[in-house]
Amino acid sequence: AEERERLEAEARARAEAEERERLEAEARARAEAEERERLEAEARARAEAAERERLEAEARARAEAAERERLEVEARARAEAAERERLEAEARARAEAEERARAEAEAAAASIGPDEDAGEPDAWRPGVDRGLPLPTMTLARLALDQGDRQLAVATLESLLELDPGHAPAAELLDELRREEELELAGRLRAARATVKIAALQGWLDAVRLAAERRAQ
């Protein structure tokens, strides 16, 4: 009887030990499964957050690029409009200078008049406007010396109208026009350089702002 009782006690102890071990194994399995699920959930959350940040960064980059392009287009349009306005103003100024020169010449001719005893000088040939004095290279160079390029050009053009074969006048007029074209080209290059510098500065500011946002 004692032996049976001992064997039964041992059997119960083994059964209880096995049950405890089974329960502990199940608990460990559940804990491990929960830990794996937690880690997987955290990994998914990190991946989703990284994807959201990437998409937001791309969206910001596209918006900044579009804004830079818009600003560059506006800057180019303003520069072109300013250049057109400057050219129109120069054209108006040349026209006004030519008109003033004609008016002054007419006034001078009216006050002097032709020399009745001197016959018919070249300036009063038939077909030549008697209200204007004959333009000369001297007058053109004098205008240049005084810094009035527009008056010099107008004088040379008038001289060539009277004498199309006047080589010195044609050469000087070509030289003045080439200088004007070079000056205009230089101003255009300077305007384009200003636009490029402004666009680059805008791009650098946008990059710096994006870096500061990511750092925050």
Side-chain angles (χ1 to χ4, degrees), residues 51-71:
E51 181 66 11
R52 282 196 303 272
E53 184 176 356
R54 184 184 67 81
L55 294 175
E56 291 174 357
E58 289 181 354
R60 285 195 301 271
R62 286 194 298 271
E64 291 167 357
E67 180 66 11
R68 283 197 303 274
E69 185 176 357
R70 184 185 66 80
L71 293 175

Side-chain angles (χ1 to χ4, degrees), residues 180-191:
E180 185 175 359
E181 289 174 358
L182 291 175
E183 182 180 355
L184 177 58
R187 291 179 182 176
L188 286 173
R189 284 194 297 271

Side-chain angles (χ1 to χ4, degrees), residues 13-14 17 35 40 45 111 116 133-134 150 176:
R14 283 195 299 273
E35 181 65 13
E40 290 173 356
S111 63
E116 295 178 356
L134 184 64
Q150 295 173 350
L176 293 176

Side-chain angles (χ1 to χ4, degrees), residues 34-164:
E34 291 174 356
E35 181 65 13
R36 282 195 302 273
E37 185 175 355
R38 184 184 65 80
L39 293 175
E40 290 173 356
E42 289 181 354
R44 285 195 301 272
R46 284 194 299 270
E48 292 172 355
E51 181 66 11
R52 282 196 303 272
E53 184 176 356
R54 184 184 67 81
L55 294 175
E56 291 174 357
E58 289 181 354
R60 285 195 301 271
R62 286 194 298 271
E64 291 167 357
E67 180 66 11
R68 283 197 303 274
E69 185 176 357
R70 184 185 66 80
L71 293 175
E72 290 173 0
V73 169
E74 290 182 353
R76 284 196 300 270
R78 285 195 298 271
E80 291 171 357
E83 184 62 19
R84 284 196 302 271
E85 184 175 354
R86 186 186 65 79
L87 292 175
E88 292 173 357
E90 289 183 354
R92 287 195 299 270
R94 282 196 298 270
E96 291 172 357
E98 292 173 1
E99 183 63 24
R100 284 196 303 271
R102 282 195 295 270
E104 292 172 359
E106 289 176 357
S111 63
I112 297 173
D115 187 356
E116 295 178 356
D117 297 329
E120 191 76 7
D122 290 342
W124 298 92
R125 294 195 310 268
V128 176
D129 186 356
R130 295 176 182 271
L132 293 175
L134 184 64
T136 63
M137 290 294 295
T138 302
L139 291 176
R141 292 194 177 95
L142 180 60
L144 284 177
D145 292 340
Q146 294 176 350
D148 196 340
R149 181 187 296 267
Q150 295 173 350
L151 180 57
V153 169
T155 302
L156 293 171
E157 289 175 345
S158 299
L159 178 55
L160 288 172
E161 288 178 1
L162 293 174
D163 185 4

